[in-house]
Amino acid sequence: MLLIDCPWCGPRDEIEFRYGGQAGVAYPEDPAAVTDEEWAEYLFMRDNPKGWFHERWFHAAGCRTWFTVRRHTVTHEIKPGGPDGATDPGGGRDAPDRRTRFRRGRA
Amino acid sequence: MNESPHPDFLWRTPEPRRAYDVVIVGGGGHGLATAYYLAKNHGITDVAVLERGWLAGGNMARNTTIIRSNYLWDESAAIYEHALKLWEGLAEELDYDLLFSQRGVLNLAHSPADVREGMRRVNANLLNGIDAEWLDADEVRKFCPIVNTSPDVRHPVLGATLQRRAGIAKHDRVAWAYARAADRLGVDLIQGCEVTGFDIVGGRVRGVRTNLGRIGAHRVALAAAGHTSVLAARAGIRLPLQSHPLQALVSELLEPVLDCVVMSNAVHVYVSQAHKGELVMGAGIDAYNSYGQRGSFHVIERQMSAALELFPIFARARVLRTWAGIVDVSPDASPIIGLTPVENLFINAGWGTGGFKATPGSGWVYADTIANGRPHPLAEPFALDRFTTGALIDEHGAAAVAH
């Protein structure tokens, strides 16, 4: 079982999460204007690397935040976030890392 | 069985030659079957099967050996039924006991929606000339007495589809039989040979690069299941595939207790009892992408809880081992067979959770596709371009394992 580091709640068991697949797949800006090939690329084509993969997870049984991690698809090692300087690849709102403040508040 | 003593070696271990007419990448069931049918049906024997590990050590060694053809859509029914008909004569053809047992497969229905879907599938199967029956809960109990058909459970059994010609076979023996037959027809089976790249000149494949050096080829055929995306990327081809772990397990050896195959879509478990006596159970896929050949424990835990509700008699059976294979899942739960944007480079992938049952049919149509440079009629609907045209073959219902 994976131990996934939620940016809000901290490390939690995989069973609390839903998988969101590849990060950075943006909805076409003008879906009516894309070609069939571009639409197929958006709908069906995804990276499937053997190695590091940027992917989305949803903390369904927790804070219900979507976030991006890097995970190695052979070792299953997980590192936080996208590449340095990247904007949120999912086009949604990634929670900033508030764990320090959250934990301090609880203590 | 009156088999003569088993020989030490069923096939040669040749050094790779510098070039072949056809190079098949992947020495699993589909690759071996493809090599055999290339030689037998098309007289193409200048063939090498390159396997990076050992023959049939990937998903061929990791599946739950279920064979059936009760798929919903015409295109799927045609190719899986073609496979099942080949299964029915395969032991004689390959002169090898495959322990093929047509013991019947039940697909349980647990909700009114399941019942409607199951009845629809039975009707669709009958229209396609495939044997199919609908059983109500009472008939399910008579066919398989150890299934819990009590109405007082979380997922009560309301009925089931039954395909009597469906069943199981011994996966290793299938691989060995195809390997031996292909080898005898002159095919080189080369283990420990990993394809690291492709030589592509002017949009046409000329050979493969491997850890054993370059091997020239007029035609190259991918048969690499979960690793197809990795290989295709080396040829500059992007595919709509995601690789996931698919877990299964066996119990310790038990007395005969279950003489059919039972599958349940809703609770994600499928069970049979192997000839040797172990219960063989499969789960749904793990949600995340992986090449790690292992999955998460909670998937096994949920699979077991579902199995125990269906089969309370299994409560004290102990798990002997669990494992995972890496399955390449396509968006419509149907395979991708045919040509690629690179000339003379062929693809056969995306079988997801259901590749074993298709082995003979897959090899048959793939060999024909490679030999003639155009899709076999049964493969035509499974072309890569269906994801652009939109002509998907949505088998999520009949594929039986959550994708």
Side-chain angles (χ1 to χ4, degrees):
Chain A
M1 190 181 301
L2 304 179
L3 187 64
I4 299 170
D5 204 5
C6 169
W8 181 267
C9 307
R12 297 291 185 91
D13 279 349
E14 180 193 341
I15 51 171
E16 296 186 11
F17 296 86
R18 296 288 286 273
Y19 188 57
Q22 182 184 344
V25 181
Y27 191 73
E29 282 193 21
D30 184 359
V34 299
T35 63
D36 287 350
E37 287 73 20
E38 289 165 337
W39 189 240
E41 173 69 28
Y42 166 69
L43 275 186
F44 299 125
M45 300 293 177
R46 295 293 181 270
D47 295 344
N48 190 20
K50 186 175 185 177
W52 290 102
F53 188 42
H54 287 83
E55 62 186 17
R56 306 278 287 164
W57 286 88
F58 174 52
H59 198 181
C63 64
R64 302 190 68 77
T65 294
W66 280 98
F67 58 96
T68 300
V69 303
R70 283 178 296 159
R71 188 177 54 86
H72 196 282
T73 59
V74 179
T75 65
H76 296 171
E77 184 188 353
I78 295 178
K79 292 179 177 178
D84 290 341
T87 53
D88 167 31
R93 290 164 303 165
D94 269 329
D97 193 336
R98 296 193 176 96
R99 276 173 294 169
T100 313
R101 196 176 70 189
F102 178 66
R103 283 171 182 161
R104 199 182 299 132
R106 283 179 61 92
Chain B
M1 275 176 287
N2 292 312
E3 283 190 59
S4 51
H6 207 279
D8 289 339
F9 296 99
L10 290 174
W11 52 82
R12 298 165 295 129
T13 305
E15 290 298 312
R17 298 205 297 271
R18 289 180 60 186
Y20 292 89
D21 183 0
V22 179
V23 162
I24 296 169
V25 185
H30 288 216
L32 294 169
T34 303
Y36 169 70
Y37 291 117
L38 271 173
K40 170 164 178 283
N41 292 356
H42 304 282
I44 299 173
T45 57
D46 185 16
V47 177
V49 177
L50 310 184
E51 167 54 49
R52 78 187 172 109
W54 59 90
L55 286 189
N59 291 349
M60 194 63 174
R62 295 159 192 272
N63 66 83
T64 50
T65 79
I66 296 168
I67 294 163
R68 62 191 174 88
S69 64
N70 56 352
Y71 281 70
L72 176 65
W73 300 108
D74 295 350
E75 298 86 348
S76 322
I79 196 166
Y80 286 105
E81 178 63 11
H82 180 56
L84 182 49
K85 289 204 170 106
L86 290 171
W87 277 115
E88 287 173 330
L90 200 58
E92 282 109 280
E93 176 170 350
L94 300 177
D95 190 26
Y96 206 85
D97 187 359
L98 307 175
L99 300 181
F100 177 56
S101 161
Q102 293 178 291
R103 54 183 59 191
V105 169
L106 290 174
N107 284 86
L108 301 180
H110 301 284
S111 68
D114 282 355
V115 171
R116 281 193 295 273
E117 201 276 331
M119 287 178 164
R120 178 190 182 198
R121 192 132 61 86
V122 165
N123 287 326
N125 290 160
L126 292 174
L127 288 171
N128 275 318
I130 294 171
D131 70 304
E133 295 165 48
W134 174 258
L135 306 187
D136 63 26
D138 212 41
E139 292 165 324
V140 170
R141 186 166 54 239
K142 284 177 188 142
F143 188 78
C144 185
I146 63 170
V147 172
N148 180 9
T149 50
S150 156
D152 302 321
V153 293
R154 172 73 181 84
H155 295 284
V157 174
L158 302 183
T161 66
L162 168 63
Q163 184 179 21
R164 291 184 192 269
R165 288 166 58 239
I168 58 173
K170 187 82 178 78
H171 50 97
D172 288 333
R173 284 174 167 261
V174 176
W176 298 339
Y178 270 125
R180 182 179 71 161
D183 176 83
R184 283 179 177 173
L185 291 169
V187 172
D188 280 359
L189 308 176
I190 299 163
Q191 306 181 66
C193 182
E194 179 170 10
V195 170
T196 54
F198 298 86
D199 286 339
I200 297 167
V201 181
R204 180 177 186 151
V205 73
R206 302 282 184 182
V208 295
R209 276 167 272 148
T210 78
N211 59 317
L212 302 180
R214 184 187 182 278
I215 299 174
H218 291 124
R219 294 170 274 193
V220 176
L222 304 182
H227 277 73
T228 304
S229 299
V230 175
L231 283 166
R234 291 174 187 157
I237 299 169
R238 190 161 159 80
L239 297 173
L241 295 175
Q242 298 281 278
S243 297
H244 293 271
L246 177 65
Q247 299 191 69
L249 61 85
V250 289
S251 74
E252 60 198 337
L253 306 187
L254 302 170
E255 293 297 316
V257 65
L258 177 64
D259 64 356
C260 61
V261 182
V262 181
M263 313 181 66
S264 170
N265 254 1
V267 297
H268 296 167
V269 72
Y270 36 105
V271 188
S272 67
Q273 187 170 20
H275 296 81
K276 208 166 60 181
E278 67 267 44
L279 297 169
V280 184
M281 303 194 199
I285 59 169
D286 280 63
Y288 49 77
N289 290 23
S290 175
Y291 291 86
Q293 290 190 322
R294 64 192 183 283
S296 294
F297 181 72
H298 68 91
V299 174
I300 294 286
E301 194 176 23
R302 287 173 184 176
Q303 170 199 6
M304 287 301 91
S305 67
L308 286 187
E309 185 176 285
L310 287 176
F311 301 97
I313 194 175
F314 293 168
R316 292 196 180 179
R318 280 173 293 202
V319 171
L320 197 62
R321 75 183 170 273
T322 78
W323 66 89
I326 298 304
V327 297
D328 44 331
V329 177
S330 72
D332 58 357
S334 288
I336 299 169
I337 316 167
L339 316 184
T340 71
V342 176
E343 202 181 335
N344 285 359
L345 178 62
F346 299 88
I347 184 173
N348 185 4
W351 290 93
T353 60
F356 177 75
K357 69 176 73 65
T359 303
S362 165
W364 180 289
V365 303
Y366 198 30
D368 183 87
T369 300
I370 298 160
N372 295 298
R374 55 96 189 97
H376 183 281
L378 291 180
E380 219 164 359
F382 297 98
L384 182 54
D385 71 2
R386 75 177 184 273
F387 299 98
T388 307
T389 64
L392 303 185
I393 303 163
D394 181 3
E395 286 291 358
H396 285 101
V401 178
H403 277 78

